[in-house]
């Protein structure tokens, strides 16, 4: 029998306009109950998702980190819970009649038994991002995440690209302090 790691956790299937969430709650007898809901990606609905998750005592979340749609959700969640970002190859469901609800349930089911390999934990603030960019940082999981065949283009992680990315996402970058690399 597999060992249960999280008695309450959730899996997210994040898209541009919708987040499909499945909270799995497993009792002491090993019986799991699944609770699913969908939320839009506007801020008020992300807040509703947060409140619903807290109401269900769910403080462990797992989601795929493909594309860029996971970033605002991660930024919203990172301050008060543990978020596992995983490469899609680690949570790929069996081919067939796939739906967003089935995908989020699959991710939650894998995560509750610690069968998901967290690929990359983004830094919590820009200073940490800058420090990572300065170091020779190349764990296997990170390389797999940024590998060119998984994305349309490969971008070198440096301060200029990070600032441009933040600006493109709508963040106010006027208060950021650029470091001098002498």
């Amino acid at each position: 029998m597999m060992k249960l790691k999280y008695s309450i956790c959730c899996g997210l299937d994040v898209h541009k306009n919708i987040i499909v969430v499945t909270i799995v709650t497993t009792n002491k007898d090993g019986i799991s109950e699944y609770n699913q809901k969908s939320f839009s990606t506007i801020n008020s609905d992300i807040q509703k998702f947060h409140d619903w998750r807290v109401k269900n005592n769910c403080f462990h979340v797992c989601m795929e980190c493909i594309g860029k749609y996971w970033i605002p959700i991660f930024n919203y969640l990172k301050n008060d819970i543990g978020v596992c970002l995983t490469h899609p190859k680690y949570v790929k469901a069996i081919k067939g009649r796939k739906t967003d609800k089935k995908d989020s349930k699959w991710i939650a089911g894998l995560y509750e038994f610690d069968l998901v390999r967290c690929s990359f934990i983004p830094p919590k603030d820009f200073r940490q991002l800058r420090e990572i960019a300065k170091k020779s940082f190349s764990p296997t999981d990170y390389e797999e995440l940024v590998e060119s065949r998984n994305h349309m283009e490969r971008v070198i992680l440096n301060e200029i690209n990070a600032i441009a990315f933040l600006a493109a996402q709508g963040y106010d970058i006027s208060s950021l302090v650029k470091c001098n690399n002498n």
Side-chain angles (χ1 to χ4, degrees):
M1 184 172 175
M2 292 186 292
K3 185 177 178 187
L4 181 71
K5 182 168 183 181
Y6 303 109
S7 59
I8 302 174
C9 67
C10 74
L12 304 182
D13 193 18
V14 180
H15 298 277
K16 182 178 183 179
N17 298 318
I18 193 167
I19 310 164
V20 181
V21 183
T22 300
I23 294 179
V24 59
T25 306
T26 305
N27 66 20
K28 62 183 179 185
D29 297 325
I31 298 172
S32 296
E33 181 180 312
Y34 297 91
N35 194 354
Q36 289 187 322
K37 258 190 168 180
S38 296
F39 300 91
S40 76
T41 55
I42 59 173
N43 287 340
S44 61
D45 249 22
I46 295 174
Q47 179 64 47
K48 288 176 188 173
F49 157 59
H50 178 271
D51 295 343
W52 180 71
R53 185 187 47 75
V54 170
K55 184 178 117 183
N56 285 283
N57 295 315
C58 180
F59 298 99
H60 302 283
V61 173
C62 181
M63 64 180 172
E64 292 178 330
C65 56
I66 192 151
K68 61 183 178 184
Y69 303 123
W70 62 270
I71 296 169
I73 309 304
F74 172 81
N75 288 336
Y76 196 87
L77 297 175
K78 71 179 179 180
N79 295 323
D80 65 343
I81 64 165
V83 180
C84 171
L85 297 175
T86 185
H87 193 282
K89 75 178 181 181
Y90 300 131
V91 292
K92 188 173 184 175
I94 298 169
K95 290 185 179 185
R97 296 183 179 170
K98 289 178 44 136
T99 65
D100 297 338
K101 287 184 176 187
K102 286 180 182 178
D103 286 349
S104 71
K105 184 177 178 181
W106 179 258
I107 293 168
L110 291 174
Y111 190 56
E112 77 174 320
F113 290 101
D114 199 27
L115 297 174
V116 174
R117 185 171 158 192
C118 292
S119 297
F120 179 62
I121 306 298
K124 290 192 176 185
D125 67 16
F126 187 73
R127 285 170 291 192
Q128 288 177 324
L129 182 63
R130 189 170 27 205
E131 290 304 313
I132 289 172
K134 286 181 187 176
K135 296 177 186 174
S136 57
F137 182 73
S138 62
T140 305
D141 289 341
Y142 179 75
E143 289 300 318
E144 290 175 1
L145 184 66
V146 297
E147 197 169 292
S148 61
R149 67 182 126 125
N150 297 330
H151 302 282
M152 295 299 283
E153 63 179 293
R154 186 177 184 140
V155 177
I156 304 294
L157 181 62
N158 61 31
E159 184 177 287
I160 294 167
N161 291 341
I163 291 172
F165 175 78
L166 292 172
Q169 296 299 312
Y171 291 97
D172 179 13
I173 61 168
S174 62
S175 62
L176 292 177
V177 177
K178 294 182 181 178
C179 64
N180 293 327
N181 294 335
N182 294 333

